[in-house]
Amino acid sequence: MSMLVPFGPQHPVLPEPLQLRLELDDEKVVSAIPVVGYVHRGLEKLAEQKDFIQDTYLIERVCGICSFQHSMAYSMGVEEIMNIEVPERANYLRVIWAELHRMHSHLLALGLLADAFGFENLFYTIWKVREEIMDAMEATTGARVMLGACCIGGVRKDINAEQAKFVLEKLANFEKDFKRPAEVILGDYSVKERLCGVGIIDGKKAYELGTVGPALRGSGVAKDHRMTGYAAYGKLGFEPVVENDCDCYARTKVRVRELYQSCELVKAALAALPEGELKTPFKGNPLGEAAVRVEQPRGEVLYYLRGNGTDKLDRLRIRTPTFANIAPLLNMLVGCGLPDVAVIILSIDPCISCTER
Amino acid sequence: MMTVNEVLTLENQQEKIGALLLHGYRFVTMTVVDKGEEFDIIYHFDLDYDMVNYQLVLKKGDVLPSISDICFAAVIVENEIQDLFGITVSNLAIDYEKHFLLAPDAPAEPFCRVPGVGVTAVKTTAAAAENGGDK
Amino acid sequence: MSKAIKKSPWVVHFNCNSCNGCDIEFLACLTPTYDVERFGVLHVGNPKHADVLVVTGSVNNRNKHVLKNVYDQMPEPKVVVAMGACPATGGIFADCYNVIGGVNKVIPVDVHVPGCPPKPEAMMDGIIEAVGILEKKRKGETVDAPVLPVKVVKGPEAPPMTPEMQAKIAAAKAAAAAKAAAAKAAAENQPEAKAE
């Protein structure tokens, strides 16, 4: 006998509205159907109505967690169409802010995951560490979430020596304060009990279903778009983080290791920050099409742009990482128990606002 | 600049995409651009950070065969296309019947352009009812 | 019991159509650095337990029913706090086809917190403001719906602010205040009577 249980849209563990219609056989999930559209705004259409420079700031609001990387991907797309060479310093600054965003996003995800399995103390501790990163972003750009720092042709804000010192201090604090929560989330038996062997998806299946980001790397597939060396990643030395256990624990471990990696990347970028201009001036309107991919905290994002020579774009398409991770999520849920559903959903770090735009 | 590697037709669409998947390509996404009289449908695939783009030109009113049978990852984006562009996609693995993203009382087919009206035209339900045969 | 409401308001948070920026900042308010719990604020998942509804994001065609449902489930007295620019007017998304507008199109709002996203300090201020209103409502006093000090401008070309426009806004504000005062005098015993 099976029954249908709606999970969401207003659910204590979900920070965002998403509904899953779970078909249950006793406690076991037989199938899951997502119901989305609670945060669909129609941003892609609005981007066609505003001009392409205004769009940079509109695009930041696709998602409030990886906002800088959205505007960066969009700017890279326009730069590719219009053949704009971005100054070296701007590329390094982009890496710094992008990695700070990845750090705050991963900390956020780990905290919410801890909350999902009822470890509230861990949730609060991790979010306290996260404030260090938020302070670093506020000190360098003046905003905590919507940085507004990226623009077409470069960046709008600079990091001076004093700010760089402040960021390094904050990173040192992060390394010191995160040590204990990292030990707990990776080593505590009660956490392992909830994460190990839950939500298994093997590498081959994950790849076929188009999985991206930590969810794919947790299944042993070394794919990280930063390997292509966009912005200044090519010069900073970079290896993707891979784990082979294919379960929620592996995905969590990838995030924890990536946090330290991002910390090193920010330090390396600050040390190697070259002098120079912040942005390249440009003239004219985009004509042509481009498809740009950038690695966000949740995985690769694809921006497709088609310009028609006017100041308004013909089409802007955003394929966000969570959008690609829905199909594998449905696969992971099959066969799991009802109490594990929340943990599995949060192990892919869903961002519904991105998904529905 | 993005390059289109191959132009598909409705007849060879399944075979070509199936062959690509057998070569180990990963489905990235689909993009639809409304050109007024017809749609440009672009399939994006990826192998080792290289992207391959297949294009299909679909006349308005034609039915698009789904690839969700050979590539389940496409089911989400195909449902989105049904919603936003009003393209009927046949043979979907999960069919939300054009209410995946949009509620029944939301504007229908918001991304469609009425031929000759320009970029900013959004078809509302009322307008769609008035000139329903206009597709 | 009624004393406890003021000392410890329970908050339910609903994400309407938000980009996540405000949600995450609101969650940050609850965590140790800002710690809104020191004012007795408790974040709950069940609307039937809650006194304060925090809404982020604008309203769209699908979630308007959910929002109304959550609001209706809350016991009286209740206060609605709109966090950010989107629940006030639709914000940057006001022109989107699937955005109906601010939260006040569906449910009455008591406190607006401006910003995109507001800083956690501003959010805490909004919650404290809401507690005051909650106390007033509990005593049966009438509470006026706030008048937004901005003009909702639809369309891609937003005209620059002119002195005439500012005068107009001031006049509208004065008119609304007069209207509210008149309504207050007319309906002393109806705390729910609000001019939309």
Side-chain angles (χ1 to χ4, degrees), chain A residues 36 38 40 64 124 138 144, chain C residues 16 19 25 62-63 97 119:
Chain A
V36 295
Y38 295 98
H40 176 63
Y124 281 175
E138 195 173 2
R144 283 163 58 90
Chain C
C16 248
C19 72
E25 290 292 83
R62 184 166 279 182
N63 67 28
Y97 59 83
K119 290 199 50 144

Side-chain angles (χ1 to χ4, degrees), chain A residues 11 47 74 76 205 298 315 333 347:
Chain A
H11 191 279
Y74 172 76
M76 280 166 62
K205 189 84 196 164
R298 289 165 187 74
R315 177 88 169 103
L333 285 172
S347 80

